[in-house]
């Protein structure tokens, strides 16, 4: 694994922790959507700025990471809003 791949995997793990997908220990991690969004935005910026300068494997890792994190972000966002709406309706 090279330094670029390590950077991408580190940012990905941080974003997954902020999304509540990864937890530390036994307790369920709380999602921090604003911070998760920032990390995803940093990865997307790297994707745009390095276009055409990466190996095939590096580009695939970065593209897949951004796509998967955006999908997970939407899942967590929608679940949080659904939960909030149910809480409001139950009073």
């Amino acid at each position: 694994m090279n330094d670029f791949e390590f950077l991408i995997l580190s940012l990905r793990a941080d974003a997954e922790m902020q999304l509540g997908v990864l937890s530390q220990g036994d307790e369920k991690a709380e999602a921090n959507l604003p911070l998760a969004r920032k990390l995803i935005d940093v990865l997307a910026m790297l994707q745009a700025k390095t276009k055409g300068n990466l190996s095939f494997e590096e580009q695939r890792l970065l593209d897949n990471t951004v796509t998967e994190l955006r999908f997970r972000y939407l899942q967590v966002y929608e679940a949080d809003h659904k939960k909030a709406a149910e809480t409001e309706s139950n009073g």
Side-chain angles (χ1 to χ4, degrees):
M1 176 182 327
N2 65 38
D3 290 340
F4 186 79
E5 291 168 341
F6 180 79
L7 172 65
I8 299 307
L9 293 173
S10 295
L11 290 170
R12 178 185 181 143
D14 288 345
E16 288 173 337
M17 286 194 330
Q18 297 308 319
L19 288 170
V21 176
L22 292 180
S23 60
Q24 295 179 355
D26 294 334
E27 60 189 65
K28 175 153 175 23
E30 285 292 316
N32 182 340
L33 290 178
L35 186 51
R37 183 75 234 167
K38 291 285 184 197
L39 289 164
I40 296 167
D41 289 345
V42 166
L43 285 160
M45 179 193 64
L46 282 172
Q47 185 181 35
K49 295 291 185 180
T50 59
K51 192 168 187 82
N53 294 316
L54 300 175
S55 70
F56 175 77
E57 293 80 14
E58 290 169 335
Q59 190 67 55
R60 186 176 62 187
L61 174 65
L62 185 52
D63 291 347
N64 289 344
T65 295
V66 171
T67 300
E68 289 174 21
L69 288 174
R70 284 176 172 162
F71 179 72
R72 288 181 180 169
Y73 178 89
L74 287 174
Q75 287 179 318
V76 172
Y77 179 86
E78 289 172 355
D80 280 359
H81 279 70
K82 182 179 178 182
K83 185 177 177 182
E86 288 173 356
T87 301
E88 281 183 19
S89 67
N90 291 334

